[in-house]
Amino acid sequence: MGTRLRDMIRSIRACKTAAEERGVVAKECAILRNAFKESDPDYRHRNVAKLMFIHMLGYPTHFGQMECIKSIAAPSFPEKRIGYLGLMLLLDERQEVLMLVTNSMKNDLGHTNQFIVGLALCALGNICTAEMARDLAPEVEKLLHSTNSYVRKKAALCSVRIVRKVPDLVENLMVPATGLLTDKHHGVLVAGVKLCTELCQTSEVAIEHFRKHVNTMVRVLKNLVISGYAPEYDVSGITDPFLQIRLLRLLRLLGNGDADISDTMSDVLAQVATNIEGNKNAGNAILYECVQTIMAIEAIAGLRVLAINILGRFLANRDNNIRYVALNTLVKVVSIDTQAVQRHRTTVVECVKDSDISIRRRALELVCALVNETNVKVLTKELVDYLKVTDPDFKGDLTARIAGLVQKFAPNKQWYIDQIILLMVEAGKYVTSDVTRSLVVVISNANALQGYTVRTLYRVFQAWDGQESFAQVALWCIGEYGDLLVSSENKLEGEEPLTVTESDIVEIVENALKDSRASSATVAFALTALLKLSIRLPNSADRIKALILEHKGSLVLELQQRAIEFGSILTKHNDLKGALVERMPVLDEARYYANNAMGIDGQQTTDIEALEPHANGHVRQPNAIEKPTAAAAAAAANLIDLLSFTDEPTTLSNSSGNALLDLLGGGPMGDANSASSPGGGDMFLDLLSSDGPAPLATTAAVPLEGLLDVEPIANTSLGNSSLNGGTPKGPPAIVDPIANISFGNLSLNGGTAKGPPAVVDPFADLTSTAMPAPASAPGLPSIIAMQTNGLKISFDFTKAVDAPKATVIKASYSNLSSNIYTDFVLQAAVPKFMQLQLEPATSGILSANSSNLVTQVIKLTNNMHGQKALVMKLRVSYKVNGNNVLEQGQVNNFPAGL
Amino acid sequence: MILSRGPKLCNFLEWRGLKVVYKRYASLYFCMCVDADDNELETLEIIHHFVEILDRYFGNVCELDLIFNFHKAYYILDEVLIAGELQETSKKSVARVIAAQDTLIEHAKEQSNSLSNIIAQATK
C-alpha cells in the first residue's frame, strides 16, 4: 500500500545527499508504478499526490499521466480534484494524451456540482490546446450565462485562454462579455474586464463594440474610487485596486486613437490620479497604470502634465521599485514629450550609476533616448566617466550605446574622433569592429583633421595598454599619415606642438610589433604601416626594412607573406614603392553608412579589411578567396568604387557591379574563375586572372608577385600564349600587367605590349578598356565607338547567320593628331552576360593625321541576346611625345539587334 | 538569479524578454514571471494577495505547511489565478470556497470509509 504522503515527503527531506534522495525516489516510483498497473482505486488519491511531489523535485513522471486521466473520469469529487490537479501539473498542452480528457471535461462542464464545473473550467483555462478549446467553447459560453457567479467568473477566465488559442471565436464572446460588465460581483467583474481586454487586444471589431460601453466602465471605476471603506475588497485603504487597474487598462485600449472616448474618460482619470495616495504599493500600482493610460490615449495637455508630474515624483522616490517603474514609463513618454523628460535628465543620469542593475539598464535606455545635439557632449562625458567604474557585463552594453550615440549626434568630426579614441582607451575590448571601421572612414574623409588625429593617436599610443582595436586604428593612422606626424602639418588651433622624429615613429611601431599582447591581426597592421612609412620617412627605410624582414619566418602565414612581399618590394622595386603606397583613397562615407544601414556591414568590413593592405597594389590571393561574401554585388560595387580612382562617374549599379567583376574575367576562363571565387575576391582573382598563367617577367611583374602569390619567378614568357597573341615578344609585357592579365586568354595587343608600364594605378585599369570598332556587317551600321581630340575609334560589325549571339567587331583606330602614338593598347570591359575576346591589333603605332589605320578584331558573345543590348567600356593607352596618355569611354551606341 | 540579488534592490528582473517579479517572505521567495507590458507593481500586489490567503487558510503559514500540503496550496492557487489572470479579489470569498470544497472532501472520505467498513465486514 505504500507510505502515506506525509511520510514519503518526510523521508525525502531527510536525505542528506543527492544520491540518497535519488534512491528513495526510485523506490517510491517503483511502488507507484506497481500501484498504477494494478489500477488500485483506493489509494489513487495518495499516489497521484506522491507523483506530483516527485515531479516537483524534477524527476520524470510520465508513467503517471494515464492515472491522472483515470482519476478525472472517476465520479467522486476528491478523485476528480486530485486528478485535475495532476493533469495541470504533470501535463502541458504539448502532450497528446491531453486529448483523452476532452470527453471527461465535457461531462464535468455540465455537472450539477459547481465545484466540479469549476475544476473543469480551471483545468481548461490553464492548459487547453487549440483543438480542445474549439471543441469545448460552446459549453464554456453557455456557462458564461450561468446564474452562479462562481461559475461565471471561472468561465470568463477560461474564455480568455480560449480566445488566446483560437482568435476566431472572438465574435461569439463579445456579447456575453458585455453582460459581465454590469455584474455586481467583483470577481466576475475582474474576470469580465479581463475578457473584454483580451477581446480588444485580439480584434478591432471588439474595440469598436466595446467603445459603446465606455460609460459603464467609467461609472464602475468612479464608484470604486469614491466609495468608502469596503472591508471585503480593501487593500491597504484602497477599494479593490485590482479591479481599478484592470479597468484602467481596458480604458487605455479603448481610448487609444479616439479623441471622443478619451474625453469621456479624462474626468475619472484625473480623479484617480489626484485621489490616490502614493505611499502604499497598491496606490502606486494604480497611479502607474493611470499614468500609462493617460500617455496612451489622446489626452488633453493638462492631463499629460499631471501624468508627467506623477512620474517625476516616482523618479525621486527612494523605493527602487518605484524608480524602476518610472524609468520604464519615461522611455515611452520620451517619444511623445521630450521636453518634459529633459527636466529630469540629471536624475536619470544618476540612476545610470545606481547599484541596482535593473535600474541601471532602464536608465541607460532612457538616457540614450534623451540625447540630442545640445546635450550630447555633457551626457557622453558622464557616460564615459561611468564606463571606467562599471562592471564588465554592463560594459559591453554601455560601450555599444555610447558609440552609437557619438556616431549619431557628433557635432563635429574632431569631437567624434576624440570620443571614440577615448572610448577605445577605456573599454578597448568591448569596442566592436564596426565602430573602429566607421572611425577610419571618418578620418579618411576629414582631411583637415588627419594631422590632428594622428598626433593624438600617437600621444595616446605611447601609453598603450593592450587594447587591440585601438592599436589597429593607431597603426593604420600612423602608417597613412606618418609624414604629418613628423612635419606637424595641419595643426589645429590650441594643439600642443609635438616633436616627433622619424625614429620615434618607427620605434613606436616596433614596440607594437614586438609586444606580446599584439594579436596577429595587429602585427599585420603594423607591417603594412611600416611599408607605408618606408616611403613617408625616407631616412628610416633601412631600419624599417630590417623590421619587416624579421617576420619572414613567422609561423602565421599572413604575416610571413606580408613580410616577404614587403621585403621584396623594398629591396628590389624601389621605383614602384611610391606608386604603391600612395594615400588611401577617401572611403565614401555616405555609401558606407548607407550600406551599414542595409546591414551588409559584415561584407563591407571584410572588404575594407581586405583592401587595407591591398589597395596599394598588392593583392593577396589567399585573402581574397578566404573572405566569405554574403552580399557580393553590393560589396563588389563598393570595391569597385573604392578601386576606381578615376574621375569617371561610376555608372555602375549593383548589376553592373557584377559586370565589372566579369570584366576582369571576360572570357570563359574568367567565368570559371568567378564561379570559383566569391564576390570581392572575384576582382582580385580575375586580376590574377587566368588559370595561373606563369607570372610575367620580373620588372613588369612587380605587382604581380603579390598577385600570383609566388616568389618572383624571373622568367619572361607569358605562359598562356594567347596573351601575346601566340608569340611571346621579347621583353615581357611591360604594359600594365594587370590589364593584360585581366583578359586571361584573351589575346591582347601582344605586339604592342612594349614600353614603360602604365604609371596609372593598376586598378584604374580595371574599370574600362578601349574597344575599337570593326567594319560593319550588312544591316549593322558601323559606329564611332569613341572619339576624342586625338583619337577616333570606330566599330564595324559582322554577325554570322547561324550564331545570332556572336558578333565580330572590327575595330579601327585612327590618330587624328599630328603626333605619332606609340604603344597603343586598347582594353575593353563588358557586362557579365557578355563574353569578349580580343585578337592582337595589327600594329601598336598610330601615325599622325590618320595616315595609317590600325585594326583589331574583337569577338563578342551576348548571352542575353534579344534581352539586353550590348554595352562596353573602352580604355586606351598610348604614348605620345614621351608622355603616357590614357583615355577612356563607354560605348552605348551599339546598333540594336546585336 | 534572484538569490544573488541584495536586499535593497528592486524586485524586478529581466529574463529572456520577460519580467520576473519576486517577493521575499522570511526565507521563502515567491516569483511570478510576467510579460514585458504587465504592471509590475500590481504583480507584487497579487503575490501579496495570494500569500495573505494562504496565511488565512493555514493560520500563520510557514514553509513546512506548504511543503507537506502542497496540493492544498495548489487548490488555493487555482481559486486565485486562472490562465495567469486574477479571478477573485476578495480574500473572504476564496476562503469560503476552499472551505466548502474541503467539506465536500471530508464528506466523501467519511462516506468511503463507512462503505469500506461495511464491505470489509461483509466479506469477512
Side-chain angles (χ1 to χ4, degrees), chain A residues 5-6 9 13 49 53 56 77-78 81-82 85 88-89 113 115 122 125-126 150 153-154 157 164 185 187 190 194 232-233 235 240 242 245-246 249 281-282 284-285 288-289 320-321 324-325 328 356 358 362, chain B residues 5 8-14 19 37-42 44-46 49 64 67-68 70-71 74-75 78-79 81-93 96-98 100-102 104-105 108:
Chain A
L5 175 63
R6 219 176 301 149
I9 297 178
R13 278 171 61 82
F53 189 80
M56 281 197 294
F77 178 68
R81 204 184 194 198
I82 199 80
L85 185 61
M88 285 189 279
L89 272 186
N113 185 338
F115 296 117
C122 190
N126 280 337
Y150 176 77
K153 165 182 84 172
K154 290 199 190 249
L157 286 178
R164 279 190 199 146
H185 189 260
V190 163
K194 180 64 203 176
E232 193 161 339
Y233 301 108
V235 174
D240 209 342
F242 305 109
I245 290 177
R246 270 149 231 279
R249 182 163 261 181
N281 192 37
N284 284 329
Y288 179 36
E289 196 72 32
N320 281 340
N321 291 343
Y324 177 91
V325 153
N328 211 2
D356 185 342
S358 309
R362 293 270 137 244
Chain B
R5 283 171 75 74
K8 289 278 189 277
L9 304 182
C10 75
N11 299 43
F12 316 124
L13 268 174
E14 277 156 49
K19 281 191 268 215
D37 58 351
D38 278 337
N39 188 338
E40 302 94 342
L41 297 176
E42 193 205 1
L44 279 174
E45 282 302 312
I46 294 178
H49 183 66
L64 282 178
I67 295 176
F68 282 98
F70 66 93
H71 50 296
Y74 267 113
Y75 294 144
D78 282 336
E79 294 300 326
L81 295 174
I82 289 187
E85 301 294 335
L86 189 66
Q87 60 174 295
E88 184 56 67
T89 49
S90 153
K91 300 190 242 293
K92 238 198 273 176
S93 309
R96 236 183 299 138
V97 167
I98 297 284
Q101 296 193 21
D102 280 345
L104 262 184
I105 303 244

Side-chain angles (χ1 to χ4, degrees), chain A residues 758-781:
Chain A
V759 183
V760 190
D761 187 299
F763 288 81
D765 288 338
L766 301 179
T767 56
S768 69
T769 57
M771 182 86 132
S776 54
L780 292 167

